[in-house]
Amino acid sequence: MITNNHSIEKISGGNLVKDHEKCKLEYIGGSDRSSGAYLVNFSNGKLKQNTKLNLHFKSYESSETREGLVLRRKRKIMVADSGRLQYVGYNFGSELSHLGTACRYCIGLLDKNNGTMKVYSTQMFHMRPSLEDAGGFEETENPTEKSKSYTEKVDMLTSAFGSKRKRKAMESRVHHKVEEGNLELAADKVVENIDKEVSGIKTMKKNRLELEMPEAIPPQNRNATCPEEVYNVKDIISIEEYSGLDEEANLVADATLDQINEWKKEEKYCHYVLIHLGRLSCIRETKLHQCKLLIYFHYLVTLLKLRYQDMKKKDPLPTVPEPYKHHLLNNFTLKSENEHGTTFRSFPQRMKDKVIAYAMVVALLLDGFSVDFSDVHPDLKFPMNRLITIVLVLGCHVRSSKNPSTGTPTKIADLTIPLYTPGDKPRSRRT
């Protein structure tokens, strides 16, 4: 940094002379063109000292504007003509890479009478020889050669003067080269084919969902005016089965805190049931209704945990009482008979989807038609994408949120009117 009243080196007769006299600096500043003088350097060497040079400089300034506004830094071209050769420098484009763009150039004008030096802002130009018109040679290149690219011209030189190895490499490269137009056409065709395949896969998945899922979900009222009218609990649990849950529902409703803690240790009920025991209504009738739905949800989760070996057993659901055991096995598993007349049960993926769909409807009825996936996922243990697909078919809208107790990201399934229809764009709002 230059400051006032600082000892400097004065330039005298082209030589640096150390002068310990203090000189007062006066910074004039202004724009880069305020001084009317510029700094130049030449790419092919330095100018010789004490040599008479016949150089004539001219500068050209662009009047270009951008979006109706004058550019902050004018584009300039500096031309130096020695009579035999021209030198050209620019303050824009690739020429800036040869200069210190982070530097600021100044010119100092020293007044020896009062010891004051005025400092002006200026610009530096890197001058290169311009060979375009040098020598006055006439253009003899034909139009076809003018249209050739640089690579094609180099290949011509290699073919004429290159070594055997270079010619062989060049011929191999040209032989395996794909024309740019053909390459773009091929790429467009590949992209078009991929788009068609992706579109076909999406259509196939949508059609498969439309064909399979209605069989897997409970009876649905698409003309409902409120969420309470979409699903009827009687379509999930029959009246006789609902009444048969009275005894166990009373035990769950009257459970003390110690009993609930003991159930947690014994894992008597699934995760979803245990976390909801502290959220039951204070109204007895509503509380019993909630307990019956929780017990039925637990039975569905117990069925979902069955493995292939369990299906071979005589009693696959020993912990589920009748008539619920018979109801679950008949409605959610398949009974077949082999060639030897032996009957066996199977639990294919589409039947597991049906169990998930019924369990999610029960959870919607319990949670006021808004289910947090973090509450049900530990029990269902289904891939999240598949779980989201099922709730979308149920008519739910899925949104992202955070679990209020843990703060971890989660998904929320909301059953709202109008119902979600496969093919609609899912909502992406966050809470």
Side-chain angles (χ1 to χ4, degrees), residues 40 68 89 94 119 196 308 317 326 338 369 394:
V40 298
S94 60
V119 180
K196 287 181 179 178
Y308 175 73
L317 296 171
H326 180 78
N338 59 19
F369 306 101
L394 289 173

Side-chain angles (χ1 to χ4, degrees), residues 45-291:
K46 298 181 179 180
L47 295 177
K48 295 182 179 180
Q49 299 289 343
N50 303 323
T51 301
K52 186 176 180 180
L53 298 175
N54 188 23
L55 279 175
H56 299 280
F57 289 87
K58 289 183 179 181
S59 65
Y60 300 89
E61 184 175 294
S62 171
S63 60
E64 180 184 358
T65 60
R66 185 175 299 167
E67 296 180 359
L69 300 176
V70 179
L71 296 179
R72 182 179 178 183
R73 181 183 182 127
K74 289 284 187 180
R75 293 188 172 189
K76 297 177 183 177
I77 302 176
M78 182 69 66
V79 179
D81 190 356
S82 66
R84 294 182 301 172
L85 189 64
Q86 281 189 344
Y87 297 87
V88 181
Y90 306 85
N91 71 341
F92 61 90
S94 60
E95 294 296 325
L96 290 178
S97 62
H98 301 283
L99 305 172
T101 54
C103 301
R104 187 168 188 176
Y105 297 94
C106 297
I107 294 178
L109 182 61
L110 177 64
D111 187 343
K112 293 184 178 180
N113 295 327
N114 55 18
T116 301
M117 177 177 283
K118 294 183 178 181
V119 180
Y120 299 87
S121 296
T122 187
Q123 295 184 46
M124 172 71 80
F125 290 87
H126 184 71
M127 309 298 291
R128 290 177 174 273
S130 176
L131 303 177
E132 293 180 359
D133 300 324
F137 293 108
E138 294 182 0
E139 184 63 54
T140 59
E141 198 172 23
N142 58 50
T144 57
E145 291 185 349
K146 277 186 176 181
S147 62
K148 291 181 181 286
S149 66
Y150 174 78
T151 303
E152 291 173 334
K153 292 179 180 179
V154 171
D155 288 344
M156 291 175 61
L157 290 174
T158 303
S159 179
F161 306 106
S163 63
K164 184 177 180 180
R165 187 181 65 178
K166 286 187 176 181
R167 289 201 304 270
K168 187 175 181 180
M170 186 263 299
E171 291 171 358
S172 177
R173 176 172 53 81
V174 173
H175 178 71
H176 293 91
K177 181 180 178 182
V178 179
E179 293 295 336
E180 184 177 356
N182 294 337
L183 180 61
E184 291 180 356
L185 183 62
D188 291 341
K189 189 173 182 180
V190 170
V191 171
E192 184 180 354
N193 291 337
I194 291 175
D195 290 340
K196 287 181 179 178
E197 290 181 5
V198 172
S199 178
I201 291 172
K202 289 182 178 178
T203 303
M204 181 179 66
K205 287 184 176 180
K206 179 183 174 182
N207 292 340
R208 187 177 65 185
L209 284 175
E210 291 177 349
L211 290 173
E212 293 181 1
M213 284 303 179
E215 300 177 1
I217 66 174
Q220 184 186 66
N221 180 13
R222 301 293 302 186
N223 299 320
T225 57
C226 62
E228 290 80 0
E229 297 177 359
V230 179
Y231 296 104
N232 192 335
V233 69
K234 295 179 182 178
D235 294 326
I236 300 173
I237 312 175
S238 66
I239 298 176
E240 295 78 11
E241 292 169 345
Y242 184 85
S243 302
L245 292 172
D246 288 341
E247 184 178 352
E248 190 170 357
N250 278 288
L251 291 175
V252 174
D254 296 334
T256 62
L257 184 59
D258 293 337
Q259 286 178 313
I260 295 174
N261 291 332
E262 188 67 26
W263 290 345
K264 289 181 180 180
K265 292 179 182 179
E266 297 175 355
E267 296 183 353
K268 181 177 180 179
Y269 294 103
C270 62
H271 171 78
Y272 181 82
V273 173
L274 293 174
I275 64 174
H276 276 70
L277 292 180
R279 309 176 186 175
L280 298 176
S281 173
C282 297
I283 303 174
R284 184 66 181 181
E285 184 178 354
T286 305
K287 189 175 185 180
L288 289 175
H289 174 70
Q290 292 174 335
C291 290

